[in-house]
Amino acid sequence: MNKPQPVNLQLTSMKFPATAIISILHRASGVILFFLIPFILWALAVSLKSAAGFQQLHAFLTTPVMKFILWGSLSALVYHFVAGLRHLLMDFGFAEGKQSGKVSAVITMSIAVIIIAVLGVLIW
Amino acid sequence: MVNNVTSYSGNGLRDWLLQRVSAYVLGFYLVFLLCVYFLNPSIDYALWHSLFANIWVKLFTVLALLSLLVHTWIGIWTVITDYVKVTGIRLLKEAIVMLALLTYLVWALVILWSM
Ligand code: HEM
């Protein structure tokens, strides 16, 4: 006899460990950065072309909506950077255990949140 | 076997290593830009322009751009390989990403040498 199989997973009943969250966010931020490349290059082109372009870009990026988008974009970069550093430390054998991996995930997340908050202060 | 003809170096371990090396270069480049910002918080056009006019900064930027190409290709390749199971669609997406990255590289070089 077939046992009744679970039809769908109840995602809300599952707990994601800190290590899983930090990992998927690293992936998500990497993909976001990929999609940001053309905008960064466009900004570089405009800012280097002429003093007027530099001024215009500055004015554009300091509008309320763009400030928010700028902050979000830089947050993806900061997060990817900090979580990437955790990867590089693990390459050297640090925090590879189950418990130490969890601790380093929480520390990494805290550092990222702090830097992102400081960024927000700098932008506004 | 997973089709790895499209992976950057065609070898998982080498891809892994290249992604680390490129991560270091990108990381150092970002720290460099951060230092520029902290030394000159109210940066203006003259300074910004002279920064990228410097040949060493240009070379460092080109190095970072090459790393960006390698790093992002390997990274996005990994993501696409994980989630896109239909070979034709996967190859199509990989081709689009590669084309985009190469275009960005050329575009960036044009920006740097026409400023
Ligand atoms: C700014 C442009 C960047 C883009 C577009 C980018 C993109 C990506 C992508 C898509 C991945 C794959 C994620 C995955 O497989 O889950 C990745 C992985 C990685 N990134 Fe970046 N990245 C960038 C910058 C950086 C920087 C500055 C660092 C330095 C700390 C870094 C460190 C890493 C590391 C160590 C990995 C490997 C993770 C693993 O093996 O699972 N990245 N990146």
Side-chain angles (χ1 to χ4, degrees):
Chain A
M1 283 293 272
N2 283 338
K3 282 195 211 143
Q5 301 286 323
V7 182
N8 49 34
L9 291 171
Q10 246 197 313
L11 285 175
T12 48
S13 72
M14 293 191 201
K15 274 211 227 139
F16 289 89
T19 41
I21 295 170
I22 205 137
S23 169
I24 191 60
L25 284 178
H26 189 235
R27 172 161 285 196
S29 60
V31 174
I32 291 173
L33 288 176
F34 166 66
F35 284 106
L36 287 176
I37 297 174
F39 300 100
I40 298 170
L41 288 182
W42 169 79
L44 185 70
V46 173
S47 67
L48 285 177
K49 207 166 191 170
S50 63
F54 189 92
Q55 289 301 332
Q56 274 164 11
L57 184 71
H58 183 80
F60 176 59
L61 289 180
T62 41
T63 56
V65 177
M66 282 315 294
K67 269 188 176 180
F68 195 74
I69 294 177
L70 184 68
W71 184 52
S73 309
L74 287 174
S75 299
L77 183 62
V78 166
Y79 180 81
H80 192 86
F81 182 85
V82 178
L85 285 185
R86 176 170 173 268
H87 263 288
L88 299 179
L89 282 175
M90 289 170 92
D91 292 345
F92 288 102
F94 294 105
E96 284 185 321
K98 192 176 173 197
Q99 201 52 43
S100 58
K102 261 187 195 166
V103 172
S104 76
V106 173
I107 294 175
T108 304
M109 186 60 94
S110 314
I111 295 176
V113 168
I114 292 171
I115 300 181
I116 289 170
V118 172
L119 264 181
V121 173
L122 283 176
I123 290 177
W124 273 282
Chain B
M1 207 185 89
V2 179
N3 165 13
N4 64 6
V5 184
T6 53
S7 98
Y8 183 78
S9 68
N11 173 308
L13 185 61
R14 203 177 305 143
D15 267 11
W16 176 88
L17 184 66
L18 283 169
Q19 194 165 32
R20 311 293 136 165
V21 174
S22 55
Y24 280 104
V25 176
L26 286 169
F28 282 121
Y29 189 73
L30 285 178
V31 171
F32 164 70
L33 286 183
L34 205 65
C35 290
V36 172
Y37 172 74
F38 276 118
L39 291 174
N40 319 274
S42 53
I43 195 160
D44 64 353
Y45 176 72
L47 191 99
W48 186 243
H49 190 269
S50 66
L51 181 72
F52 284 94
N54 181 302
I55 188 65
W56 296 108
V57 175
K58 267 199 169 74
L59 283 180
F60 193 16
T61 307
V62 172
L63 192 65
L65 287 166
L66 291 174
S67 298
L68 183 69
L69 176 86
V70 173
H71 185 92
T72 313
W73 173 246
I74 298 172
I76 297 288
W77 180 89
T78 311
V79 176
I80 292 178
T81 309
D82 275 356
Y83 301 133
V84 186
K85 299 301 176 194
V86 183
T87 308
I89 299 177
R90 187 173 64 242
L91 289 177
L92 183 69
K93 291 194 176 173
E94 285 170 357
I96 294 172
V97 171
M98 196 45 164
L99 210 64
L101 287 174
L102 284 171
T103 310
Y104 296 155
L105 179 68
V106 175
W107 182 18
L109 293 177
V110 171
I111 294 173
L112 284 177
W113 267 273
S114 67
M115 55 179 270

